[in-house]
Each structure stands twice: as C-alpha cells, then as structure tokens.
Amino acid sequence: MGQFIPDYHRLAEILSTLRGEGKTLVTTNGVFDILHIGHVRYLQAAKQLGDLLVVGVNTDAGTKRLKGPDRPIVPQEERAEILAALACVDYVTLFDEPTPEALLEQLRPDIHVKGGDYRLETIPEAVVVHRFGGKVLTIPLVAEHSTTDIVKKIQRSLLRG
C-alpha cells in the first residue's frame, strides 16, 4: 500500500533518499475521479516502468478549473486515499497548478507517463522533464473506459428512470 503525502515538497525530500538508493522514479498525474478499470490498468503499466510510482492528483479547485463546476465528484483526499491503496502506487500527492510542471520540477522523475490520448509533442510538462534528463512516455488508454463515459451513462440512466 502506498502513502498519501499531500505536500509534494515534503514528498521530494523522501524521494531524494530513495533515489539515492538507485530507485527509478516514475510519475503520472490526473484527476482520477471515479476510479475505473482504465485507471487501474494505466497505473499498473506505469509501475512496470520503474521502481517507484508517484501519482500527482489535481486538487478539487484545480479539477473544477479543468473539468467544470460539477467536478470532481469525489473529494481530493478520498481520491488520493483510494489511489494509495492500490498495490502499484507507492506515493500520492496533490497539486493545484493547471499543469504538473512545478510538481515535476520538485520530484524530478526518471520517467513521466501520460495517457495515450496525449501526443508526446503536445505534453506541456515534457519540457521540464527533459530539462533534467527524464523521459516522457505515453501508455495506451483502455477504450470506452473514462470517468466522463461513466458520468454520461449515469445521467442517461437517471433520465430514463
């Protein structure tokens, strides 16, 4: 089971020690609202790329800015706790900025992973990761498994109800 450390500056201190032991650090980030099989498979694939997987979770305020006033559905602390309970996740932290660039500047991952819905050349945080010698990779998404799809299915069901 992983650990939830809300302050990514504090997490950077912990990771510094572990990286001194030669551990490969993999990071990813997202909202992770209503955890589903697509999230789980994505995180499992990310973990296979290194020794430690750190997940940066958008705060509630950041999620509202990205997804609109009706999101998140699940509060940030609960999303983080659920993610930390997954065997493939070592650490979870929060970030409030629009992109995870400041988070990545602090954590300095060896590999940063995004979903296959992103193209490598359009990932804004890639510049930061490359600046300190890290790699940015994408992992294919599980088709037809997204939080947005789940929300739409629930809404359709309620309308029929």
Side-chain angles (χ1 to χ4, degrees):
M1 186 164 137
Q3 292 182 15
F4 171 38
I5 300 175
D7 180 359
Y8 64 78
H9 296 92
R10 167 93 176 91
L11 178 57
E13 295 169 12
I14 294 166
L15 293 174
S16 177
T17 301
L18 294 170
R19 294 188 69 196
E21 298 170 3
K23 304 279 187 193
T24 301
L25 174 60
V26 179
T27 58
T28 191
N29 67 281
V31 173
F32 297 99
D33 200 9
I34 306 181
L35 197 64
H36 54 75
I37 195 67
H39 288 135
V40 172
R41 291 178 183 165
Y42 169 80
L43 293 168
Q44 288 171 331
K47 173 64 176 195
Q48 292 177 6
L49 298 172
D51 301 307
L52 299 169
L53 176 60
V54 175
V55 180
V57 175
N58 295 80
T59 61
D60 290 349
T63 299
K64 282 188 190 320
R65 288 191 301 270
L66 284 171
K67 305 283 187 179
D70 295 332
R71 300 276 301 275
I73 295 165
V74 178
Q76 64 193 30
E77 288 82 9
E78 292 178 23
R79 290 183 280 133
E81 185 177 337
I82 291 167
L83 287 166
L86 297 175
C88 58
V89 174
D90 296 290
Y91 294 96
V92 179
T93 193
L94 299 173
F95 71 99
D96 192 50
E97 299 83 6
T99 70
E101 292 169 289
L103 167 74
L104 297 172
E105 189 70 53
Q106 287 292 310
L107 302 185
R108 301 173 92 60
D110 299 292
I111 302 168
H112 181 63
V113 180
K114 296 294 276 189
D117 52 336
Y118 286 88
R119 292 186 26 224
L120 287 174
E121 58 273 8
T122 63
I123 298 172
E125 60 267 28
V127 173
V128 171
V129 175
H130 291 146
R131 188 170 54 239
F132 54 77
K135 291 187 243 176
V136 177
L137 304 174
T138 59
I139 293 176
L141 295 179
V142 177
E144 299 179 21
H145 286 84
S146 74
T147 300
T148 300
D149 290 340
I150 292 169
V151 168
K152 286 179 182 176
K153 186 175 182 179
I154 292 168
Q155 289 170 334
R156 283 193 306 270
S157 176
L158 290 172
L159 288 173
R160 281 187 300 236

